[in-house]
Amino acid sequence: MGIYLNPGNEAFRQAVTDDIYVDKTGMIDLMNQKLNKSRVKYVCVSRPRRFGKSMAADMLAAYYSKGCDSKKLFAGRKIEKETSYEIHLNRHNVIRLDMQRFLFDEAHIPIFIEKMQEAVIRELEIEYGSCFTKDAYGLPGVLEQIYSQTQKGFIFIIDEWDCVFRTAKERTEIQKTYLDFLRGLFKGAEYVELAYMTGILPIKKYGEHSALNIFKESSMLNPGRLAEYFGFTETEVKNLCKKHGIDYEHTQNWYDGYLLDHIHIYNPQAVTELMDNGSFRSYWTGTETYEALKFYIDLNFDGLKETVIEMLSNVPCIIDPSTCQNDMTTFKNRDDVLTLLIHLGYLSFDENKSQVFIPNQEISQEFLRSIKTGGWDGLVQALKKSDKLLQSTWMLDETAVAQGLAAIHSETASILKYNDENSLTCTILIAFYSAKAYYMNPVMELPSGKGFADVVYLPKQNADLPAMVVELKWNQSAEGAIAQIKDRQYTDWLEGYTGNILLVGINYDKKKGHTCVIEKYTKDR
């Protein structure tokens, strides 16, 4: 048993004996199906911090490694029922690497590849010293000699594979050297039985091509068959809530929202912390800090700040993630930044709709924390006024609503380029931000009747509140907005809704400012 070659199972033993353990051993069978199959034996899994990457790597090492006996640890687990279980249990040579062990300080950047190879070769010498001589080709050369002599391959389990792209963000020459090393280690190598890499970022691209195109990737964008192993599923969280006496609906509101291939996934660490102390709050602080989030959204590519405002108001945003280069420095447009935030866990992605959105209340708090300083001060003040403005709308107080919108406009002028109807829409979303507590996600440009309603708010189930159909005008009139709602029959979409409806017409005139007309609407029975 070594540190890197054929490690023990202590880390996995601690995990399975913890008070909170969720059985993810079914993933092992998927990996068994890939063993020694050239087209699929290279796997790269990228997911955010706190989503169980290291635990999965520890589990695979404990299962495959010849350096331990893990039969008792897997007894009664899901994998025990699979036919492949006994065939591969502790039957393989494993090389287990955590790249952060070699790259936890900036001074290690120029030498970490060399030091990592030396550490592994030292352990290989103890086991296979008579099978090889050290040569100029480093670890790949040593492994080729061992395989030639023994016909025994290796399973590679590499955790935090992308560490160099986060530690040496600007050192492109080091990054390329590292990718060249990995390509030389794996591509066409007969000694590779399985290569499993995990990190936060998918494999770095140069232009449109991956530098390691032999790997099949599972990510927050495209999880594939591994989706249920990226975090805790709804069923798993419900079972934990029942066991620990925690309200599931409250848990769902706080931590649900990561959508992976139609599966709702929860952040494992957040749920575990909740089960431990029973407190609903953000557990994000201390990993990827809010300062990091602030840095990326302050870049403000292509109106990124307006997009953040929309997402804070529960409005999803359509993106094209294909241009992202999978590093933390190369940004050409808004979509590149939003794609990185998906990989960091700050946004969720609906693959079928190509939409991103803030997944839950925990992450909303992180966004709000990140905008409390810098050029976002006015937005924070505007959001505080939202509840009062919403109350004024319900009371049909047109003057108060118009004044509230004017104040919010003034406070957000430094953020929004207030010169068109799109910016007016953002102002409305800020103004009705508090509606997220009472209403479902606002529907933007809803096809209804003979046109598109600008914004529609429909109350949540059991909320005794009116639906709101909002129409916006620019240099026209609020009365004209109300007339358009009626003439074009925007309320037709609410045909199945039996509650009260408010028609809200809002106009912004550069000379007269904001005006508002609010009417109760009664549908014909």
Side-chain angles (χ1 to χ4, degrees):
M1 182 176 71
I3 298 173
Y4 312 109
L5 175 65
N6 293 331
N9 56 21
E10 178 60 20
F12 184 63
R13 187 197 65 77
Q14 291 183 24
V16 298
T17 56
D18 194 277
D19 290 340
I20 300 173
Y21 170 73
V22 174
D23 186 354
K24 294 291 183 178
T25 60
M27 174 185 166
I28 295 172
D29 189 55
L30 294 179
M31 295 300 108
N32 286 344
Q33 295 173 33
K34 299 176 184 294
L35 282 168
N36 289 310
K37 295 179 180 177
S38 61
R39 192 175 59 85
V40 296
K41 67 180 180 180
Y42 300 98
V43 181
C44 184
V45 179
S46 58
R47 45 184 158 173
R49 283 197 177 116
R50 314 177 324 135
F51 272 72
K53 296 187 300 296
S54 296
M55 187 273 177
D58 292 336
M59 175 184 71
L60 293 176
Y63 174 75
Y64 287 120
S65 174
K66 284 183 176 180
C68 55
D69 181 357
S70 300
K71 192 175 184 68
K72 290 182 179 179
L73 297 181
F74 288 101
R77 311 295 175 195
K78 293 178 180 179
I79 183 60
E80 194 179 33
K81 300 177 182 178
E82 303 294 339
T83 55
S84 67
Y85 170 65
E86 291 281 358
I87 298 173
H88 300 290
L89 177 63
N90 300 131
R91 302 288 181 87
H92 295 264
N93 284 316
V94 170
I95 294 178
R96 165 79 157 93
L97 300 172
D98 181 345
M99 298 311 298
Q100 282 190 325
R101 289 192 178 187
F102 303 98
L103 197 57
F104 59 84
D105 187 275
E106 189 172 348
H108 301 155
I109 292 174
I111 60 172
F112 83 98
I113 297 175
E114 177 186 351
K115 294 300 182 183
M116 181 268 294
Q117 292 185 88
E118 290 177 356
V120 177
I121 291 173
R122 277 196 300 270
E123 294 194 2
L124 287 169
E125 280 186 297
I126 298 172
E127 186 75 18
Y128 298 103
S130 61
C131 297
F132 69 88
T133 57
K134 298 177 185 178
D135 59 25
Y137 294 100
L139 181 59
V142 167
L143 293 172
E144 283 183 348
Q145 293 177 64
I146 293 173
Y147 183 76
S148 176
Q149 293 290 322
T150 67
Q151 295 299 298
K152 293 180 180 179
F154 295 83
I155 289 176
F156 294 82
I157 299 172
I158 302 179
D159 199 9
E160 303 288 356
W161 88 271
D162 61 332
C163 181
V164 64
F165 298 100
R166 293 180 276 119
T167 304
K169 294 180 183 179
E170 308 290 343
R171 303 284 297 274
T172 56
E173 77 285 357
I174 294 292
Q175 295 173 12
K176 289 182 178 180
T177 299
Y178 175 58
L179 289 174
D180 287 341
F181 165 73
L182 291 178
R183 184 166 51 244
L185 180 64
F186 294 130
K187 194 163 187 177
E190 293 182 330
Y191 54 75
V192 177
E193 295 182 335
L194 175 72
Y196 176 90
M197 300 198 309
T198 184
I200 295 174
L201 299 174
I203 291 173
K204 164 71 177 173
K205 293 188 291 186
Y206 288 101
E208 295 298 319
H209 303 287
S210 168
L212 288 172
N213 55 16
I214 58 174
F215 277 84
K216 303 296 182 182
E217 295 196 75
S218 296
S219 70
M220 298 297 283
L221 293 173
N222 307 108
R225 294 177 65 191
L226 292 176
E228 65 181 285
Y229 303 109
F230 270 65
F232 291 169
T233 65
E234 283 184 297
T235 300
E236 290 164 348
V237 175
K238 285 180 180 178
N239 291 337
L240 287 172
C241 286
K242 183 177 180 180
K243 177 180 177 180
H244 294 270
I246 302 293
D247 180 72
Y248 173 70
E249 290 187 5
H250 201 177
T251 302
Q252 187 179 40
N253 181 50
W254 264 90
Y255 306 110
D256 186 16
Y258 294 99
L259 189 63
L260 301 178
D261 195 26
H262 301 294
I263 299 175
H264 284 256
I265 293 295
Y266 289 69
N267 180 321
Q269 184 168 327
V271 173
T272 300
E273 294 279 1
L274 171 64
M275 298 302 135
D276 278 340
N277 59 42
S279 176
F280 289 93
R281 58 184 177 84
S282 174
Y283 293 102
W284 204 260
T285 306
T287 52
E288 280 287 343
T289 64
Y290 77 94
E291 288 92 349
L293 175 59
K294 181 180 184 301
F295 170 79
Y296 292 115
I297 62 177
D298 278 351
L299 292 173
N300 201 25
F301 280 113
D302 304 329
L304 179 60
K305 288 187 175 181
E306 286 85 347
T307 300
V308 171
I309 289 170
E310 291 180 5
M311 291 191 296
L312 281 170
S313 302
N314 287 355
V315 178
C317 170
I318 295 176
I319 71 165
D320 175 9
S322 64
T323 61
C324 184
Q325 296 302 298
N326 297 338
D327 60 28
M328 303 184 80
T329 56
T330 308
F331 305 111
K332 296 181 180 179
N333 52 51
R334 178 202 67 164
D335 289 1
D336 289 346
V337 178
L338 294 176
T339 302
L340 175 62
L341 294 180
I342 294 170
H343 294 308
L344 295 178
Y346 286 111
L347 295 176
S348 186
F349 181 67
D350 186 331
E351 185 178 357
N352 292 322
K353 298 179 181 178
S354 292
Q355 290 180 337
V356 293
F357 51 93
I358 296 174
N360 51 46
Q361 190 170 337
E362 179 186 37
I363 305 302
S364 288
Q365 286 202 351
E366 293 305 308
F367 271 91
L368 291 173
R369 290 179 68 236
S370 72
I371 64 177
K372 284 183 178 178
T373 57
W376 296 74
D377 298 19
L379 176 59
V380 176
Q381 297 304 315
L383 293 177
K384 291 179 179 178
K385 293 180 170 67
S386 175
D387 196 62
K388 184 177 180 180
L389 189 143
L390 186 60
Q391 297 282 346
S392 298
T393 305
W394 292 335
M395 296 171 62
L396 310 185
D397 191 338
E398 299 167 343
T399 300
V401 172
Q403 291 174 347
L405 290 172
I408 290 173
H409 171 193
S410 176
E411 289 167 339
T412 58
S414 62
I415 300 173
L416 304 175
K417 296 179 180 179
Y418 214 90
N419 56 10
D420 58 20
E421 196 166 333
N422 289 331
S423 293
L424 180 58
T425 301
C426 272
T427 302
I428 297 303
L429 292 174
I430 296 170
F432 289 112
Y433 173 77
S434 62
K436 65 194 299 181
Y438 315 100
Y439 291 83
M440 293 185 285
N441 294 352
V443 183
M444 311 292 292
E445 295 190 346
L446 174 72
S448 182
K450 301 176 182 178
F452 296 84
D454 284 332
V455 191
V456 173
Y457 289 91
L458 192 64
K460 292 180 179 179
Q461 191 174 10
N462 301 323
D464 187 18
L465 294 168
M468 298 189 297
V469 180
V470 183
E471 183 65 23
L472 311 175
K473 291 297 179 183
W474 186 265
N475 286 334
Q476 297 183 48
S477 72
E479 291 81 5
I482 293 291
Q484 181 171 318
I485 294 174
K486 296 177 179 177
D487 293 343
R488 298 188 181 180
Q489 303 169 5
Y490 289 165
T491 55
D492 283 3
W493 180 76
L494 303 176
E495 184 176 353
Y497 176 70
T498 58
N500 297 322
I501 301 174
L502 294 183
L503 311 184
V504 183
I506 296 170
N507 180 62
Y508 175 72
D509 186 288
K510 292 182 179 179
K511 295 181 179 179
K512 298 179 181 179
H514 298 80
T515 54
C516 176
V517 174
I518 307 172
E519 288 187 9
K520 286 185 176 181
Y521 177 78
T522 303
K523 292 188 297 178
D524 296 332
R525 300 301 182 198

